[in-house]
Amino acid sequence: MNTQRTHDCLPNVVYPRWSETLHDRSHVLIRPIHPQDNAAERAFIESLSPEARRYRFLGSMVRPSDRLVEQLTDIDYRHEMAFVAVVQEDALQKIVGVSRYGADKDGINCECAVTVSDEWQDKGLGTLLMKHLIEVARTKGIQRMFSVDSAENTQMRDLARHLGFHTRVDPEDIHQVLHELDLQKPEPPK
């Protein structure tokens, strides 16, 4: 793991960065998101298929609002974490995947999400993004991670199962499921 400071929100904090090789031998850099990623995050969301956007935001969206993009890129690292997987494209870093969590005010529970560009799926990127997110949540003392997803989202169901999450129907909406992971349990052997 390589570390580098990327955000001025928390002085004297070193933020992690990972250079990863995917199943198809392509390379990505995984690092925390920051406000300068605003345009890249917008482009990432707009490049997702309608189905991927619907799964990520649990509803239909064509173009994210400026407020949403700002909210997704300018985060509070005390209660939130967001990692982007980027590849170099010309002189710019293109976002091809994002994982994030937001913790409750007590820092006990956090809701997470992961999204991978359609053309970067099935390469192990979602798994890597989530493993780094889980690792950081554990080090911050968060006890439970969960996500709320469409019951139709079979890729998320499979990823959640692979990572050790337990799945149940959302008691408030039968069209959704809750994936839950106890972060206090030891990690399963690799």
Side-chain angles (χ1 to χ4, degrees):
M1 176 177 73
N2 177 1
T3 57
Q4 180 176 333
R5 202 170 125 72
T6 63
H7 198 279
D8 291 329
C9 155
L10 297 175
N12 303 318
V13 174
V14 175
Y15 294 95
R17 298 167 69 90
W18 298 271
S19 179
E20 299 283 4
T21 302
L22 305 180
H23 297 323
D24 69 348
R25 304 308 234 187
S26 58
H27 297 276
V28 297
L29 173 68
I30 297 176
R31 62 165 174 77
I33 201 166
H34 47 76
Q36 295 85 347
D37 290 318
N38 195 298
E41 176 72 359
R42 176 181 302 285
F44 170 70
I45 294 169
E46 291 176 353
S47 75
L48 295 172
S49 67
E51 180 183 62
R53 277 195 306 272
R54 182 171 53 84
Y55 286 161
R56 170 56 184 95
F57 296 103
L58 293 176
S60 179
M61 175 200 316
V62 175
R63 184 164 164 66
S65 69
D66 291 343
R67 186 175 190 280
L68 176 62
V69 172
E70 182 178 320
Q71 184 181 354
L72 294 173
T73 57
D74 191 12
I75 67 169
D76 166 14
Y77 285 100
R78 288 180 181 90
H79 301 100
E80 300 171 289
M81 179 53 71
F83 291 120
V84 289
V86 296
V87 293
Q88 202 66 33
E89 193 170 89
D90 298 321
L92 302 174
Q93 286 190 341
K94 177 183 177 183
I95 296 175
V96 296
V98 179
S99 64
R100 63 179 62 246
Y101 73 70
D104 60 19
K105 64 181 172 89
D106 298 323
I108 303 296
N109 301 296
C110 70
E111 183 172 1
C112 69
V114 62
T115 307
V116 174
S117 292
D118 297 79
E119 66 271 10
W120 285 81
Q121 292 182 11
D122 301 318
K123 298 180 182 196
L125 182 55
T127 300
L128 287 170
L129 283 163
M130 283 302 298
K131 283 184 175 183
H132 291 307
L133 195 70
I134 290 166
E135 175 186 330
V136 168
R138 277 194 170 112
T139 64
K140 290 193 172 209
I142 295 172
Q143 296 176 15
R144 178 179 156 264
M145 180 177 276
F146 70 95
S147 72
V148 179
D149 293 285
S150 167
E152 298 172 1
N153 190 344
T154 58
Q155 285 183 304
M156 184 59 196
R157 181 199 62 217
D158 294 345
L159 175 61
R161 182 180 301 134
H162 174 71
L163 294 170
F165 283 73
H166 297 282
T167 301
R168 63 185 171 95
V169 174
D170 184 341
E172 297 179 20
D173 184 342
I174 62 167
H175 302 299
Q176 296 180 162
V177 293
L178 300 173
H179 302 292
E180 300 171 307
L181 180 65
D182 179 353
L183 297 176
Q184 300 306 297
K185 286 185 178 178
E187 286 186 70
K190 296 185 185 207

